[in-house]
Amino acid sequence: MSGALTVRTVIDGTEYSQDDIRRWELERARTALTLLKSRIGDELMRELLTEDLRAADRAMAPLPGASGGAWRSAVTEMEIGGIDADGFLTWWQGRLANADRGALLAANPEHYLADSADGVVEIIETIGSGPLRFFLTFHEGVAIEGEGHETYPVRIGGTGRLADGTEVARVMHEFGDGPRGLRIRLTIQFPANAPEHVFTGHQWHFACEFLNWLEAAHAAR
């Protein structure tokens, strides 16, 4: 017998589709991953990923020089009903200020570590094809001004550096309220010579993490 695989599942007299089961799987996978991250902890996570992080450093460190100082943006834009800028930012910035490890790690399956101290966030997350460790500092004067930036009252910029101080990323998170709800524009810049998948991968990375944060902020109202 050949053809497309079809599955009929019945539990306690109710029929469920394959999509229903996949949604259940996704929720349980998130729960399992959150448990594992909490048990592993930051020190062991650094140890487990040591070789991956060394490889990432070797790949990323030469890119600024190879790009001749040029940077390229990857942008993700979102429009959200049901919560305004103030409501979201109060929740989100509170999580950052309190170093809420659970909320930061749960936002994306590829968040491995988020450790905040003295205004610097140590992050291990997937950049491109594997985990990268960098140190993100939020500050004024980040030179990212996309078209229409003046329509976003709140602009939060930062710089990401490797452990040796090499600047490998610049970010700008922009927030404002519009006629159809909260507007968010998320921009990250990498050295222009970085591989294409570094840029496209982070556009999806942003979409995933901010969707999860938005849902958490909405539920916490």
Side-chain angles (χ1 to χ4, degrees), residues 30 34 37 101-109 111 208 212-213:
R30 287 173 171 168
T34 298
K37 287 178 179 178
R101 185 176 179 276
L104 298 176
L105 293 182
N108 193 303
H111 283 181
C208 174
N212 283 317
W213 281 329

Side-chain angles (χ1 to χ4, degrees), residues 36-215:
L36 289 173
K37 287 178 179 178
S38 68
R39 294 292 187 268
I40 289 170
D42 291 347
E43 285 304 318
L44 184 54
M45 186 68 78
R46 293 184 186 97
E47 182 180 336
L48 287 170
L49 296 176
T50 296
E51 292 306 316
D52 303 272
L53 300 180
R54 286 175 180 164
D57 281 353
R58 289 193 297 269
M60 292 295 291
L63 289 178
S67 301
W71 295 78
R72 176 183 163 195
S73 293
V75 181
T76 299
E77 297 179 275
M78 308 178 81
E79 194 170 72
I80 307 99
I83 192 168
D84 60 15
D86 182 66
F88 175 69
L89 287 167
T90 297
W91 181 90
W92 183 63
Q93 291 182 299
R95 304 287 72 72
L96 292 174
N98 293 316
D100 186 340
R101 185 176 179 276
L104 298 176
L105 293 182
N108 193 303
E110 295 181 320
H111 283 181
Y112 301 100
L113 183 146
D115 187 14
S116 179
D118 300 323
V120 179
V121 187
E122 178 190 359
I123 296 172
I124 298 177
E125 67 181 29
T126 294
I127 301 288
S129 58
L132 175 76
R133 181 189 187 206
F134 61 98
F135 298 83
L136 179 63
T137 304
F138 291 104
H139 60 89
E140 300 291 333
V142 178
I144 297 177
E145 292 190 351
E147 183 177 348
H149 67 272
E150 67 280 354
T151 66
Y152 292 92
V154 179
R155 305 180 75 243
I156 302 171
T159 300
R161 299 180 182 274
L162 302 179
D164 68 1
T166 302
E167 184 181 5
V168 293
R170 298 171 180 175
V171 299
M172 181 62 69
H173 299 331
E174 300 173 283
F175 306 88
D177 292 314
R180 290 186 291 274
L182 168 61
R183 298 167 60 236
I184 300 177
R185 182 164 65 187
L186 307 162
T187 303
I188 189 164
Q189 290 187 341
F190 297 108
N193 204 41
E196 182 65 27
H197 66 268
V198 171
F199 298 93
T200 57
H202 219 79
Q203 288 172 306
W204 285 93
H205 185 104
F206 272 154
C208 174
E209 68 182 358
F210 272 85
L211 175 59
N212 283 317
W213 281 329
L214 285 158
E215 289 179 343

